[in-house]
Amino acid sequence: MQQDLTQGSITGKLVGMAAFIGMGLLFQTLYFLIDLYFVSRLGPSAIAGVGLAGNLFFLNMALVQMVGVGALSLIARAIGGKTFDDANAVYRQSLMMSVILAVTVLVLGYALAEPALRLLAADEATVQAGTRYLYGFLPALALMFLSNAMGSALRAAGVVRPTMLVQTGTVLLNAVLAPVLVAGWGTGMPLGTFGAGLASSIAALAGFLGALFLFDRVQTIFVGPLKMAPIALKVWRRIVGIGLPSAAEFVLMFITTGVVYGVIRHFGPEAQAGYGVGGRVMQAVFLPAMAVSFAVAPVAGQNFGAGLGGRVRRTVRDAAVISSALMLVLTLLCQISPEWMIGLFAPDQVVVEVGAGFLRIISLNFVATGIIFTASGAFQALGDTRPALFGSISRLIFFTGPAIWLSTQPWARLEHVWWLSACSVLIHMLIALWFLRRELRVKLEGLKPKVSPVA
């Protein structure tokens, strides 16, 4: 059932929610890692194609976050203030927005997949592998909107365990389907990269149906998971006003990743494959810090809605300490044995060397990334995600332009691109910390506890 996050131990709430959120994120990431494991047996061009096509995930997540972050922030504060009708109204509108965006992604995705990949791929084989993967994977991207709308509402209410259980089942299904569809185990009909995308889409559909089944059984605030209300543009503006800066963050990630693929394309498909594998492994490594930051938003959001400024500050402080400690351990792991982690998904030695070099350098900013994630969660809770956007813009300025310049220099090596990326993350962290201190001071000054209305 839903939780009152305005009472009890803050550290306990954070750790408890982060544990289940982290497990859910892990299983979500396993979708990509399972696909990558079986695709890697098809060669560097297949790895590069799936990695390049996977960059569309960031663009899709931008739209998903625009709805999910805005809805979560508004719903959590409404629940904290005991205005449950407002929470329900926001959820219904987020659901309507999600349906419209899901249809849009399907139409544009199938129309533009191949020409978009052709702009950045190192060779024709990479284009074809990536296009086939996207054709199978696009339904999964569309289903993300509806699943995220339900998941954001549940997370705002403090409900995370059922989502994790559903995602566990979908990953197990994907693990079974991937070798059957990619390699043709038991059927003799290997579908290659298309099979990898299709396996994820079938598993995502099963997860969506599971979420529908559980939704009314784990909370009492939102009755009817797919019940929509007439469009209310005023609520849409509130959702987008909070969610748009977070969406822009993912757009900038999409652009930055695309720039990297474009900058390193002249190093060949092995370089793009190594970066693709390294990026996937890095995303998996980030999961603990992401889980903590995802827990910050509902915990701090409910306390902010209840007028409990002291608990908001303690939530952010505790989350930053937990996240930094976790990321420090993971940094040491990536410094000691990155080849082993990359080798799990890339049998080609050149690909392993590129991916390991990427991880060894980029891991130096893991602690900084954890702090950035925590600050982002706090901005969501406070209802103003623009500071997170400003930090992301700094990465665009300090990385993208210099990286493009590097690509024109005959002496440039891959390591130069990785170091440039690491330095831009450090600048991003400093900007995020400055805005975090300012936002906490401004938003919490004079905040007074609210008296709960009589039910």
Side-chain angles (χ1 to χ4, degrees):
M1 297 296 289
Q2 61 263 16
Q3 298 184 57
D4 183 355
L5 303 177
T6 64
Q7 305 292 328
S9 167
I10 289 174
T11 302
K13 299 289 187 185
L14 281 172
V15 173
M17 291 193 70
F20 285 106
I21 292 172
M23 292 175 71
L25 290 173
L26 172 63
F27 290 123
Q28 184 179 28
T29 303
L30 283 175
Y31 273 114
F32 301 106
L33 295 180
I34 289 170
D35 289 348
L36 187 62
Y37 177 82
F38 288 102
V39 166
S40 67
R41 275 57 192 167
L42 304 178
S45 291
I47 300 174
V50 170
L52 186 56
N55 190 35
L56 183 62
F57 174 79
F58 290 118
L59 191 58
N60 194 74
M61 276 299 295
L63 298 174
V64 169
Q65 287 290 97
M66 181 181 69
V67 179
V69 167
L72 186 149
S73 178
L74 293 171
I75 292 171
R77 285 186 285 161
I79 292 174
K82 312 302 181 188
T83 53
F84 300 114
D85 287 343
D86 289 344
N88 189 65
V90 171
Y91 171 65
R92 301 304 164 191
Q93 295 303 312
S94 71
L95 194 63
M96 176 65 76
M97 296 173 72
S98 296
V99 170
I100 294 172
L101 289 171
V103 174
T104 302
V105 164
L106 282 176
V107 172
L108 294 181
Y110 283 114
L112 302 177
E114 183 172 353
L117 290 173
R118 198 171 294 281
L119 292 174
L120 299 173
D123 58 13
E124 182 62 25
T126 300
V127 173
Q128 296 304 317
T131 300
R132 288 193 294 269
Y133 175 73
L134 269 183
Y135 284 170
F137 189 55
L138 278 168
L141 294 180
L143 285 168
M144 282 178 62
F145 289 96
L146 298 176
S147 297
N148 187 70
M150 291 187 286
S152 295
L154 292 178
R155 190 149 49 94
V159 180
V160 293
R161 183 180 301 182
T163 303
M164 183 274 294
L165 294 174
V166 169
Q167 288 176 330
T168 301
T170 61
V171 169
L172 293 175
L173 178 59
N174 190 42
V176 172
L177 290 175
V180 173
L181 297 178
V182 176
W185 290 9
T187 67
M189 297 176 59
L191 299 179
T193 56
F194 174 77
L198 183 60
S200 293
S201 291
I202 294 173
L205 177 60
F208 170 69
L209 295 175
L212 282 179
F213 176 77
L214 289 173
F215 192 82
D216 284 338
R217 292 168 170 79
V218 297
Q219 52 78 40
T220 58
I221 298 173
F222 319 100
V223 180
L226 295 183
K227 181 180 178 182
M228 288 178 280
I231 293 176
L233 293 181
K234 182 178 180 180
V235 180
W236 282 36
R237 285 193 292 269
R238 293 176 66 201
I239 292 173
V240 173
I242 296 173
L244 189 58
S246 289
E249 284 188 79
F250 278 89
V251 171
L252 293 175
M253 290 171 66
F254 169 77
I255 293 172
T256 301
T257 305
V259 167
V260 174
Y261 273 109
V263 165
I264 68 176
R265 65 185 298 180
H266 66 278
F267 289 101
E270 290 83 5
Q272 289 189 329
Y275 171 66
V277 175
R280 290 287 177 86
V281 173
M282 180 184 68
Q283 291 170 24
V285 170
F286 281 171
L287 292 181
M290 290 179 65
V292 174
S293 73
F294 279 19
V296 168
V299 175
Q302 283 198 22
N303 283 285
F304 182 59
L308 303 175
R311 287 180 64 86
V312 173
R313 288 184 181 276
R314 288 197 298 274
T315 299
V316 177
R317 180 200 63 196
D318 291 357
V321 171
I322 295 170
S323 179
S324 296
L326 290 170
M327 292 301 261
L328 181 59
V329 172
L330 293 168
T331 298
L332 295 176
L333 177 63
C334 289
Q335 289 296 311
I336 294 170
S337 57
E339 291 84 1
W340 174 78
M341 290 185 284
I342 300 297
L344 289 173
F345 306 100
D348 187 283
Q349 187 57 37
V350 176
V351 175
V352 171
E353 290 175 1
V354 172
F358 168 79
L359 268 188
R360 186 168 276 118
I361 294 173
I362 214 72
S363 64
L364 297 175
N365 62 34
F366 278 5
V367 173
T369 301
I371 294 173
I372 291 169
F373 284 148
T374 300
S376 180
F379 296 143
Q380 293 174 31
L382 298 174
D384 186 356
T385 54
R386 290 175 298 175
L389 173 61
F390 298 147
S392 296
I393 290 175
S394 75
R395 286 206 67 199
L396 194 65
I397 295 172
F398 292 106
F399 172 74
T400 303
I404 294 174
W405 175 80
L406 266 179
S407 69
T408 65
Q409 304 305 307
W411 47 263
R413 301 196 308 270
L414 284 173
E415 292 82 359
H416 296 146
V417 180
W418 312 150
W419 279 112
L420 184 61
S421 177
C423 291
S424 69
V425 171
L426 180 61
I427 296 172
H428 185 176
M429 180 202 69
L430 296 174
I431 293 173
L433 281 175
W434 186 87
F435 275 110
L436 179 61
R437 294 187 59 168
R438 192 196 70 166
E439 287 293 298
L440 289 173
R441 183 180 68 251
V442 172
K443 292 294 182 67
L444 302 184
E445 184 178 358
L447 192 67
K448 295 180 180 180
K450 296 179 181 179
V451 178
S452 300
V454 178

